[in-house]
Amino acid sequence: MVRLTVVAACSLRQFALDYEGNTDRIIESIRQAKAAGARLRVGPELEVSGYSCNDHFLEPDLYLHTMEMLARILSDESCNGILLDIGLPVSHRNVNYNCRVICLDGKILFIRPKMQRVHADSLDYREMRWFTPWTRQTQWEDFHLPKMLQKLQGSTHVPFGDCVISTPDSCFGAETCEEMWSPDAPHIPMTLDGVEIITNSSASHFSLQKLDVRLKLISEATRKCGGVYVYSNVQGCDGERLYFDGCAMILCNGQVLAQSPQFSLNEVDVITATVDLEEVRAYRSSMSRALQAAHSTKKYHRIQTAFELSPDEDDLDSHRRPTLPRELKFHSVEEEVALCAGCYLWDYLARSGSTGYLTPLSGGLDSCATTVSVFSMCRLVISAIEDGNQSVIAVVKRLFGEAPLPKTPHELCNRVLHTIYMGMSQQSSHETRQRAKDLSAAIGSYHVNLDIDSVYHAQKNLVKEALGFEAKFKVEGGTPAENLMLQNIQARTRMVTAYEFAQILPTTRQLAGGGGLLVLGSANVGEALRGYLTKYDCSSADINPIGSIDKADLKRFISWAQVHFEIPCLDDFVTATPTAELEPITEDYVQSDEADMGMTYAELNVFGRLRKERKMGPLSMFQHLVHVWGKDQQEGSEKQEVSLEPAEIAYKVKFFFAQYAITRHKATTLTPALHCNDYSPEDNRFDLRPFLYPSFWRSWSFKRIDRELERIEKARKKSEKS
Ligand SMILES: Nc1ncnc2c1ncn2[C@@H]1O[C@H](COP(=O)(O)OP(=O)(O)OC[C@H]2O[C@@H]([n+]3cccc(C(=O)O)c3)[C@H](O)[C@@H]2O)[C@@H](O)[C@H]1O
Ligand SMILES: Nc1ncnc2c1ncn2[C@@H]1O[C@H](COP(=O)(O)OP(=O)(O)OP(=O)(O)O)[C@@H](O)[C@H]1O
Ligand SMILES: NC(=O)CC[C@H](N)C(=O)O
């Protein structure tokens, strides 16, 4: 026996506060879902307002406008004939909720608010600041419709609460994003109460290799409970540092049936799958499950509708077949960096209305990675143009004016990307200057090669003239203060010069589109964590596509791009020693990042993850690393490359925390960075900490490390004696 139904999940390129654009995309997705024969369409979380409205969620205007947009969808007859699960914020009895409105044929069936304890509120989410969770499981009450909806509804109230929908042939229930991630996930009591289809409306951000976790959670849910899972997500940059990586999915009993692209420039991606509800019933028919279901006390109020999910005529339709399981498509870290940064940069360019980008290109790996991210964007855009993507074409037309549309990524790159090398005769090597030139030539960017010596000397002379003091570099016998001042003149001059050229280049090149260029930053996550950057230098920019990515991943990305983007000169960037080139190069001295920082990029990665993701203070980090990096590694454990004495580890941990505390103030002014890693130290959104610390050297936690070190060394001596 079969009972077939077609369900649809969407990835929509929503944009915070773009009410009309968002509604257009919702209606288009409904149209596409219907055209594919779907009986149920699920959209992303808060799709009408956009997810990242932040404190706008506290404004009554927003609730008015989302209701106006809902009225537009309900009164659009082309949206009839399909069950709709739409995400929007709703104010109920003066309390704001993050809701799903379930509708059919121009009427609301019920409103389901996001539930107790499972509002997204960690890392980069702040939902509890704007929304109140619905705390009463399986309970509901009447929602008083605003006047504009009363007419359409033909009544004044609809149910509001933790209910499910019962159709003549099945039952579906909604959980919202984070709810699935929680140990108390609603899909468990729902499925034990006979709900066969779970819809999930998400705004789930991208971070490297996270898709695997997401998929595991959904497949676990349906493998354990049986059932169909229809997962929808936002796509693109909706106005914040987060990139939402789409990838709508439909699963049945733990197997993937359909997946939309994880990285695409499409406005609307709709996927559908034909599922056999009888397979769900058969999967669930075990005594153990039946006993648990019988014991479950959570019984959901069922909102009845006469609308069938699997009309008989569909089963008789000889064309309709259940969708076969498939493997989910995953990308490697390198591909993820290329695609995510490329898509994000395109959204930023398109939505900011800017004319293009400018990258200060130093010949080092980081600014190379930022530059190649823009080239990746150009590749994605050209392929979207070839696919006839109208929204992309409209933006490219704005950028090209009367000129014909570009045919290659290089042509597009020449129009939108400007690279600028700002050398100093004594400090800049021929190699870095040449690498910058070579990369620009390989990707087609508009390149400027200049020297900033005259500005540097003018600045330096201010001190000489005003104070009668001639500052010297360390290698010339200067003090650390002099050395720093001279380095920072260069670093900050580069920032001013970058903005100057970003402002004027579109005029000198007579570019269409108006306005200036956006300046891109390229400080990586390790440098930000260690504070190895000059405050308000060229690391200060408008947006930083690589700010939450570590050096090792950037290296992998560039090595990958060398092959896949066919840019042979990238090899030179990967093999070069990272250097700031702020101090004069002499016969026996070349400035090096890792020597300056007193730690390696690899160590910074470890410290960063332990500090943020594993929530370790100095003492726990020391204790943990003694196990991981220590000489006495556990038998049977994977042998680590590092093998250090406890005293060396104690020193490294202390040194890291001491430097971190001294330079933490720089995190307050970091350029907004595309979020790719959950250990990003950008304190503006992800990592809320003080920026004025007492000295760690005299701290109680460091004294505790000393005491612990003493204990370890005593224990070791004792065991050596015996
Ligand atoms: N607690 C506090 N709260 C708020 N602000 C505080 C502060 N302490 C210092 N400051 C401010 O911060 C300033 C010190 O920071 P900053 O000016 O960055 O100076 P600083 O960190 O001392 O030096 C920058 C270092 O970054 C290195 N570097 C590495 C790689 C690249 C680049 C580059 O520029 O390309 C530079 C450069 O070699 C140098 O060693 C102080 O002069 C003061 O204005
Ligand atoms: N000679 C230069 N010409 C143009 N831009 C520069 C130059 N030196 C530094 N910059 C810019 O300033 C930023 C910070 O400088 P820094 O020396 O810290 O580089 P970095 O973070 O090590 O990056 P990279 O690996 O690109 O050199 C660089 O990412 C780059 O954008
Ligand atoms: N909007 C949400 O509830 C998202 C939270 C969830 N942890 C995620 O990253 O997907």
Side-chain angles (χ1 to χ4, degrees):
M1 200 165 89
V2 288
R3 182 128 303 265
L4 299 180
T5 185
V6 183
V7 290
C10 319
S11 290
L12 304 184
R13 187 164 233 87
Q14 303 305 69
F15 189 14
L17 302 174
D18 180 15
Y19 303 106
E20 289 178 285
N22 293 343
T23 306
D24 290 343
R25 283 178 282 271
I26 292 170
I27 292 174
E28 173 59 19
S29 73
I30 297 170
R31 196 191 62 70
Q32 290 187 22
K34 279 177 67 177
R39 308 286 290 176
L40 168 64
R41 170 268 179 210
V42 186
E45 186 172 11
L46 298 171
E47 58 188 316
V48 177
S49 55
Y51 183 78
S52 301
C53 298
N54 297 353
D55 280 1
H56 291 288
F57 284 125
L58 301 172
E59 297 168 358
D61 277 14
L62 182 140
Y63 294 84
L64 171 69
H65 296 327
T66 46
M67 278 298 158
E68 286 166 345
M69 295 301 126
L70 180 63
R72 191 183 135 196
I73 298 169
L74 291 173
S75 45
D76 185 333
E77 288 185 7
S78 75
C79 299
N80 290 355
I82 182 167
L83 277 161
L84 301 176
D85 178 342
I86 302 173
L88 66 153
V90 174
S91 182
H92 169 54
R93 302 186 185 176
N94 299 341
V95 179
N96 299 334
Y97 295 95
N98 173 350
C99 290
R100 313 277 286 283
V101 178
I102 314 296
C103 338
L104 175 71
D105 294 341
K107 306 238 184 296
I108 297 173
L109 293 178
F110 92 107
I111 303 176
R112 199 263 184 194
K114 207 168 177 177
M115 294 291 295
Q116 185 182 14
R117 296 191 302 276
V118 283
H119 265 51
D121 227 51
S122 56
L123 288 175
D124 19 35
Y125 294 95
R126 303 272 181 281
E127 284 183 14
M128 291 288 270
R129 185 177 162 106
W130 311 300
F131 300 116
T132 303
W134 182 251
T135 51
R136 287 170 284 151
Q137 287 189 22
T138 69
Q139 291 187 33
W140 62 282
E141 59 196 27
D142 279 332
F143 172 77
H144 194 97
L145 287 166
K147 263 194 182 161
M148 71 180 117
L149 291 186
Q150 288 180 15
K151 256 200 199 146
L152 287 169
Q153 188 78 14
S155 66
T156 51
H157 293 83
V158 293
F160 183 100
D162 192 15
C163 311
V164 296
I165 294 276
S166 175
T167 66
D169 44 4
S170 189
C171 182
F172 84 87
E175 66 181 2
T176 306
C177 198
E178 180 81 6
E179 290 178 322
M180 175 189 73
W181 298 69
S182 97
D184 195 14
H187 63 254
I188 299 173
M190 278 187 197
T191 51
L192 288 175
D193 194 29
V195 174
E196 294 178 331
I197 302 172
I198 303 286
T199 60
N200 185 316
S201 166
S202 273
S204 183
H205 73 285
F206 164 83
S207 62
L208 291 167
Q209 302 290 285
K210 176 179 169 190
L211 180 60
D212 184 41
V213 183
R214 209 184 278 148
L215 174 70
K216 278 189 181 124
L217 285 168
I218 305 177
S219 56
E220 282 292 299
T222 55
R223 203 179 294 278
K224 250 196 319 215
C225 306
V228 179
Y229 207 95
V230 191
Y231 179 88
S232 171
N233 197 12
V234 184
Q235 178 154 286
C237 154
D238 78 340
E240 260 279 12
R241 292 150 172 85
L242 300 180
Y243 177 78
F244 294 100
D245 55 335
C247 199
M249 291 179 257
I250 300 171
L251 281 88
C252 182
N253 298 342
Q255 292 183 303
V256 179
L257 302 183
Q259 171 193 16
S260 76
Q262 193 183 2
F263 305 99
S264 104
L265 298 183
N266 297 341
E267 296 284 297
V268 174
D269 277 320
V270 176
I271 49 163
T272 56
T274 305
V275 290
D276 181 359
L277 294 171
E278 287 299 331
E279 278 190 28
V280 173
R281 291 160 196 163
Y283 192 90
R284 287 182 177 177
S285 64
S286 79
M287 186 45 74
S288 144
R289 188 193 165 277
L291 277 173
Q292 290 175 57
H295 274 92
S296 172
T297 49
K298 285 181 192 152
K299 300 292 169 200
Y300 288 84
H301 175 61
R302 281 164 154 75
I303 311 278
Q304 301 293 337
T305 169
F307 186 81
E308 291 179 87
L309 278 172
S310 52
D312 290 340
E313 62 270 25
D314 270 14
D315 288 348
L316 300 175
D317 178 353
S318 57
H319 298 299
R320 188 108 26 240
R321 298 262 183 285
T323 307
L324 295 177
R326 53 186 270 183
E327 289 296 315
L328 197 79
K329 181 169 171 41
F330 290 103
H331 294 283
S332 65
V333 170
E334 298 84 337
E335 284 172 324
E336 282 192 336
V337 173
L339 296 171
C340 165
C343 289
Y344 183 90
L345 285 170
W346 178 247
D347 280 353
Y348 208 99
L349 184 64
R351 291 184 158 170
S352 65
S354 309
T355 306
Y357 287 122
L358 177 137
T359 309
L361 181 57
S362 68
L365 187 85
D366 297 335
S367 48
C368 162
T370 291
T371 305
V372 175
S373 300
V374 183
F375 186 64
S376 172
M377 173 194 94
C378 295
R379 290 171 52 95
L380 287 160
V381 170
I382 293 299
S383 117
I385 294 175
E386 286 165 2
D387 292 346
N389 181 324
Q390 290 308 311
S391 68
V392 168
I393 291 173
V395 179
V396 176
K397 276 190 177 156
R398 170 176 72 74
L399 295 169
F400 277 73
E402 302 296 307
L405 290 182
K407 294 216 161 27
T408 65
H410 302 79
E411 254 181 86
L412 178 60
C413 195
N414 183 264
R415 166 60 189 77
V416 295
L417 179 61
H418 305 74
T419 43
I420 174 165
Y421 183 87
M422 296 173 272
M424 280 283 303
S425 49
Q426 241 194 318
Q427 282 78 305
S428 305
S429 62
H430 166 73
E431 287 80 7
T432 52
R433 194 184 295 269
Q434 190 59 43
R435 281 204 293 271
K437 258 192 208 164
D438 291 346
L439 177 56
S440 151
I443 62 174
S445 68
Y446 184 91
H447 190 62
V448 179
N449 180 6
L450 54 76
D451 287 312
I452 55 167
D453 291 64
S454 54
V455 188
Y456 166 81
H457 287 297
Q459 283 293 137
K460 186 181 161 190
N461 281 339
L462 287 180
V463 169
K464 192 173 167 188
E465 282 160 21
L467 307 175
F469 179 80
E470 174 118 33
K472 293 195 192 74
F473 279 108
K474 183 175 70 188
V475 288
E476 298 161 345
T479 61
E482 291 168 58
N483 195 48
L484 217 49
M485 183 200 83
L486 293 177
Q487 290 187 62
N488 287 354
I489 295 176
Q490 300 167 61
R492 293 196 174 107
T493 298
R494 289 198 175 106
M495 189 269 281
V496 174
T497 311
Y499 276 96
E500 180 183 346
F501 277 74
Q503 201 74 64
I504 207 66
L505 270 167
T507 305
T508 60
R509 290 188 68 195
Q510 300 181 334
L511 296 180
L517 307 170
L518 293 171
V519 179
L520 292 176
S522 25
N524 66 54
V525 70
E527 289 172 327
L529 186 63
R530 168 67 176 77
Y532 187 63
L533 52 106
T534 299
K535 207 173 182 180
Y536 306 114
D537 74 332
C538 238
S539 54
S540 305
D542 294 315
I543 191 84
N544 180 356
I546 64 152
S548 73
I549 306 179
D550 75 66
K551 197 83 169 182
D553 283 344
L554 291 175
K555 251 190 192 174
R556 289 167 66 180
F557 162 51
I558 294 303
S559 300
W560 176 89
Q562 183 194 336
V563 178
H564 291 83
F565 294 175
E566 297 173 35
I567 311 177
C569 69
L570 288 181
D571 187 47
D572 301 336
F573 287 84
V574 176
T575 48
T577 305
T579 166
E581 292 201 326
L582 289 170
E583 293 180 82
I585 302 168
T586 65
E587 261 184 24
D588 50 6
Y589 183 74
V590 180
Q591 192 177 21
S592 133
D593 286 8
E594 293 187 335
D596 270 5
M597 291 193 292
M599 59 191 80
T600 63
Y601 281 110
E603 286 167 348
L604 268 169
N605 184 325
V606 174
F607 297 144
R609 286 189 189 281
L610 296 181
R611 181 197 68 103
K612 174 78 180 169
E613 293 177 356
R614 306 272 295 270
K615 303 174 182 70
M616 291 185 187
L619 179 62
S620 329
M621 196 182 288
F622 167 66
Q623 289 170 322
H624 173 82
L625 288 176
V626 166
H627 293 302
V628 181
W629 285 351
K631 285 210 152 66
D632 320 318
Q633 283 158 19
Q634 278 175 20
E635 281 212 7
S637 65
E638 213 173 283
K639 205 75 194 142
Q640 300 292 321
E641 279 169 24
V642 196
S643 171
L644 298 172
E645 289 295 341
E648 291 174 289
I649 297 170
Y651 178 76
K652 277 183 188 284
V653 169
K654 285 177 170 184
F655 186 69
F656 164 69
F657 272 103
Q659 294 306 315
Y660 161 79
I662 292 168
T663 53
R664 176 69 199 181
H665 64 90
K666 293 186 186 176
T668 60
T669 61
L670 288 181
T671 297
L674 161 60
H675 182 86
C676 292
N677 262 311
D678 289 340
Y679 79 97
S680 167
E682 198 196 315
D683 92 337
N684 198 4
R685 297 292 153 99
F686 306 115
D687 190 31
L688 306 179
R689 319 253 171 170
F691 50 89
L692 185 59
Y693 278 86
S695 163
F696 264 112
W697 289 114
R698 294 188 301 274
S699 71
W700 175 243
S701 48
F702 276 24
K703 286 179 194 153
R704 289 284 286 105
I705 291 181
D706 292 342
R707 209 198 273 178
E708 183 69 6
L709 183 58
E710 223 175 273
R711 191 190 62 75
I712 294 172
E713 287 177 342
K714 249 191 211 160
R716 187 187 279 178
K717 274 188 197 141
K718 205 170 152 193
S719 76
E720 276 168 7
K721 269 190 204 155
S722 58

